[in-house]
Amino acid sequence: MNKKIIIFASTFAALVACSESDKAAGGTIDDQNAASEKQVREWLNFGTEWNESSYAKFEGGRSAVSDDGNGVRVECVADSASLAMTMQIYNSSEVSTMSGNKLVNSCDSVFAEFKAECDKVPNSEFYTPSNGCKDDAFEAACRVKHVGSDSANKLVSEYVHIASERCNVMTGNAQSSSGIYWITMSSPSTELNGSSSSIFIEEDSVITPVRDTAITVNYNRTLENYVLQFAENTEQLSFDEHVIAYNGYSGFGCSNYSKNLMNKTDHPTKNSPVYQMDTSDIWMCFPMTAKIMDEHPRGANCRYFVISDYDGGQPVGHVLSRFADDAIEFTSVFRSVAPGGACGVTGMILSVAFLIEDCENEFNLTAPETIDNSFTSESWKCGEDNRDVEAYGEWFSGKLIEN
């Protein structure tokens, strides 16, 4: 597990070919093969013409996918600062953009991070019409040519999650947030400092999540079957016996729920990465598991805890291998590498969650040590991306359906 939470709106590393090519230096638009200023402006304003109804709102921002499914725009505002992030796929190229406004002390670092992510990718070209940060704002774009063969729908879906998590972190760090804010830039002539722009900020009420009662249970998705995708047997790799569910794409509802638990001053596990949750709230992070527990009730005295964490360098398997008062051990599962080869990974980061069951009231969980382990799978190899391995999604303990 990567405990350093670096939520960055980028899928560059997943998309590129293996050969290095010349790059447009420092955003030079005069190069023969570089994009024109008009083209860069079109990239930056991708999605600004879409109707309000096109956007899905989440806590901290909003997102919308283009009608053809080949592009996405994500926007968020925290305090007075705002970010707009887009990604488009066309003609075997991927273009990501980021625009920041009123970022104050973070402007230079956010801009530098975006540029560094672009520069380290083969076949990339970086553009900055704003010439870096100016008046606490910037605009930047990165084009990557000769992208990989992943489907556009998959890449767009991953980008929405990454950029939205970036918004969640941005909102979570805000000093004041009385509601949800949306930002729309209405025209290509909008100035960065907002002095003559038509940017407007509208406050909206928090949307209360509603439980989906139509969840379908896949009874093959047990934790044992999960680890057997990577190991020969459960002696090599296994979940701690107290783990009853894992969700490798727990979503925004779970992230927000975990954040709210973390902010409770009276929470019994405030100094721990583990948070106790009400049984009635399990569905927010583990909808399939919650339905199973409705059909197969557990003991009345059982307590439940959620551990929400982040990872990086996809694809990676995730196992919570030990859960105790003194230590919590995570195991990241990696593909094996052929001699002389290398595993291609993405730069995206996903939110993952584990559900712990304590029916013996044996845990105090005041300040356990967090330990990160790794496991290299000999059966899950690089170059076999089409192999039927599912490192993410929701999985549950088989003991939940034994009675």
Side-chain angles (χ1 to χ4, degrees), residues 182-394:
W182 322 114
I183 181 168
T184 297
M185 303 185 70
S186 63
S187 71
S189 61
T190 298
E191 292 185 8
L192 282 174
N193 60 15
S195 59
S196 62
S197 73
S198 55
I199 293 178
F200 66 89
I201 299 177
E202 174 187 352
E203 185 172 351
D204 200 351
S205 59
V206 175
I207 300 174
T208 303
V210 178
R211 182 174 180 179
D212 183 2
T213 57
I215 291 293
T216 300
V217 176
N218 182 344
Y219 289 97
N220 291 320
R221 294 180 71 87
T222 65
L223 297 180
E224 180 182 38
N225 286 340
Y226 179 82
V227 298
L228 290 178
Q229 296 181 111
F230 315 115
E232 293 183 2
N233 53 63
T234 54
E235 293 181 359
Q236 288 183 316
L237 183 68
S238 64
F239 285 88
D240 184 279
E241 63 179 351
H242 296 95
V243 181
I244 63 169
Y246 154 75
N247 195 341
Y249 182 31
S250 51
F252 312 128
C254 182
S255 296
N256 293 335
Y257 176 77
S258 299
K259 182 174 66 176
N260 290 336
L261 289 180
M262 180 176 62
N263 292 333
K264 284 186 177 181
T265 57
D266 59 344
H267 204 278
T269 56
K270 182 172 177 56
N271 296 322
S272 164
V274 186
Y275 302 99
Q276 186 172 347
M277 67 191 313
D278 293 335
T279 307
S280 59
D281 292 336
I282 289 176
W283 66 270
M284 291 189 177
C285 295
F286 310 94
M288 185 170 66
T289 302
K291 183 170 184 178
I292 293 173
M293 293 174 67
D294 287 343
E295 299 171 351
H296 304 268
R298 309 294 292 168
N301 297 323
C302 294
R303 296 187 301 165
Y304 295 92
F305 301 88
V306 61
I307 303 177
S308 184
D309 213 332
Y310 298 86
D311 72 352
Q314 314 306 316
V316 178
H318 307 87
V319 175
L320 199 166
S321 49
R322 179 175 174 238
F323 184 83
D325 269 339
D326 62 337
I328 301 170
E329 295 189 27
F330 300 96
T331 300
S332 296
V333 182
F334 299 96
R335 294 171 293 173
S336 56
V337 183
C343 282
V345 298
T346 77
M348 63 184 176
I349 296 174
L350 294 181
S351 176
V352 302
F354 303 90
L355 179 62
I356 304 297
E357 182 181 67
D358 176 19
C359 295
E360 303 298 330
N361 197 26
E362 56 185 299
F363 299 115
N364 293 319
L365 301 167
T366 54
E369 179 187 5
T370 299
I371 300 173
D372 298 321
N373 300 317
S374 63
F375 177 86
T376 300
S377 172
E378 295 302 323
S379 58
W380 188 28
K381 298 181 181 295
C382 297
E384 297 182 358
D385 294 334
N386 295 324
R387 183 171 174 263
D388 191 19
V389 168
E390 297 183 53
Y392 301 96
E394 185 179 355

Side-chain angles (χ1 to χ4, degrees), residues 146-163:
H146 313 301
V147 300
S149 59
D150 285 342
S151 69
N153 287 340
K154 177 182 177 182
L155 296 173
V156 167
S157 177
E158 291 169 348
Y159 189 90
V160 170
H161 181 79
I162 299 161

